[in-house]
Amino acid sequence: YADRTILVPSAHAISKYTEPRGIKVVRGGDQVDFIIEPKVFGMWSPTITTASVTDPLPVGTDYVKNSERFSIDGGTTWLDYTSYAASSPAVTVTSAANSNVRSLTWVFGDLQSGEQLPLVRYSVEVSPGLVSGTFVNKATLNSDMGVDDNGDGKSDPAQAAYQLSMLAGFGLDVIKTRARAIYQTNTPLAFKLVYKNLGGENYTRGDFIDILPYNGDGAGQNSSGLAST
């Protein structure tokens, strides 16, 4: 058995998720917000100043025009294409604003060592006429900062895929999220509950029951209980 370790001066990575996080089930006509988080690490040659992200959308979903937004503060502030360009950012967007409903591209320039790529947010619409299906789209980050793991002399692209499903039938889809996984004791935390009618019938009311963890609940919890407010 041999262990292989690669030491590199720089690298890149990408992740993709929905906002709010965790959306997996959609209906025809739904609009879903995605966030792409490309990252670069380390130090690289001053001659390397560009990176690009491509995101082809699967059949059954279309890009909502003019929905792309950019953030350099972790998602607190979002700027549209024109406002981002006018803000004189350290890392620029040199590609045109996206208008193709099926294929998205962002080309970044002025990317020097120590700078970071912006977050990108955009919306897609699920085709209203669909009643079932699976939609997988894969965002790809290309740059010369990545690792050449296959030995072809070029940086290997980084990819992040996300899958949405449309379930035939009816019922409710419920998603429960929180801002982070670990909290200190005596620290308030908030859960976000997102629920969606998947179709089939209309509901005039519903009850959502959420049992908070407590000692002896049979789930191996170590909490002495959570108090709701």
Side-chain angles (χ1 to χ4, degrees):
Y1 178 81
D3 188 23
R4 183 186 184 200
T5 301
I6 301 176
L7 300 179
V8 295
S10 62
H12 60 200
I14 188 171
S15 57
K16 180 175 183 176
Y17 45 88
T18 59
E19 176 56 40
R21 289 187 183 240
I23 294 176
K24 296 294 185 182
V25 180
V26 294
R27 294 186 302 178
D30 280 356
Q31 185 169 300
V32 181
D33 292 337
F34 281 103
I35 292 178
I36 294 176
E37 187 172 354
K39 284 187 175 295
V40 288
F41 311 92
M43 305 290 290
W44 51 87
S45 169
T47 61
I48 300 174
T49 60
T50 62
S52 66
V53 173
T54 56
D55 194 4
L57 302 181
V59 175
T61 62
D62 289 336
Y63 168 65
V64 178
K65 291 184 178 180
N66 301 317
S67 66
E68 62 186 336
R69 298 292 185 270
F70 305 90
S71 176
I72 60 173
D73 59 6
T76 300
T77 306
W78 293 96
L79 300 176
D80 62 23
Y81 180 90
T82 302
S83 299
Y84 182 78
S87 69
S88 300
V91 177
T92 59
V93 179
T94 60
S95 53
N98 280 284
S99 59
N100 189 325
V101 297
R102 301 300 305 283
S103 182
L104 305 176
T105 299
W106 297 276
V107 179
F108 302 100
D110 301 316
L111 183 57
Q112 303 292 339
S113 291
E115 301 292 350
Q116 192 52 263
L117 295 165
L119 298 180
V120 181
R121 189 184 74 193
Y122 68 91
S123 302
V124 300
E125 182 182 47
V126 182
S127 298
L130 297 179
V131 295
S132 64
T134 300
F135 313 100
V136 179
N137 64 316
K138 184 181 296 182
T140 302
L141 170 61
N142 283 287
S143 79
D144 288 331
M145 298 90 166
V147 176
D148 177 21
D149 198 28
N150 59 15
D152 64 355
K154 300 179 181 179
S155 295
D156 300 335
Q159 295 183 321
Y162 200 94
Q163 176 175 309
L164 296 173
S165 298
M166 182 181 294
L167 305 179
F170 58 88
L172 294 174
D173 180 49
V174 182
I175 302 170
K176 181 180 178 182
T177 63
R178 77 284 194 216
R180 56 184 188 273
I182 299 175
Y183 289 82
Q184 293 181 337
T185 57
N186 300 317
T187 301
L189 67 150
F191 292 108
K192 180 183 291 185
L193 194 65
V194 180
Y195 52 93
K196 180 183 299 183
N197 184 349
L198 298 179
E201 63 178 285
N202 294 324
Y203 297 93
T204 57
R205 65 178 300 274
D207 296 322
F208 293 92
I209 300 173
D210 189 4
I211 301 176
L212 301 179
Y214 59 91
N215 278 341
D217 63 2
Q221 303 292 340
N222 294 320
S223 172
S224 59
L226 299 176
S228 62
T229 58

